[in-house]
């Protein structure tokens, strides 16, 4: 029992290479960068919705795929 108490009292923790507060700050910055990247891709599918709607109209209403409805 005496050996265990001595081992617990003499335990030396390894020093951190950064202050403790730096680790959550780094994690928050990483999540912020990832959030900005995700936010930058908003509405990408709808950027060319006008062209996609015209293509759908040409292909399905006139029956001539890829010819713009002209015969």
């Amino acid at each position: 029992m005496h050996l265990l108490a001595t081992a617990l009292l003499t335990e030396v923790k390894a020093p951190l290479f950064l202050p403790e507060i730096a680790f959550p700050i780094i994690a928050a910055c990483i999540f912020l960068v990832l959030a900005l990247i995700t936010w930058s891709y908003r509405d990408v599918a709808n950027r060319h919705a006008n062209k996609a709607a015209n293509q759908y109209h040409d292909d399905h209403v006139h029956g001539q795929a890829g010819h713009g409805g002209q015969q």
Side-chain angles (χ1 to χ4, degrees), residues 4-24:
L4 181 60
T6 305
L8 290 175
L9 291 175
T10 60
E11 180 181 358
V12 177
K13 295 183 179 179
L16 298 174
F17 59 92
L18 292 174
E20 292 178 5
I21 191 69
F23 294 103

Side-chain angles (χ1 to χ4, degrees), residues 52-71:
N54 288 340
Q55 181 66 35
Y56 178 81
H57 177 73
D58 290 344
D59 288 349
H60 291 91
V61 173
H62 298 290
Q64 298 293 324
H67 297 290
Q70 298 175 358
Q71 293 183 1

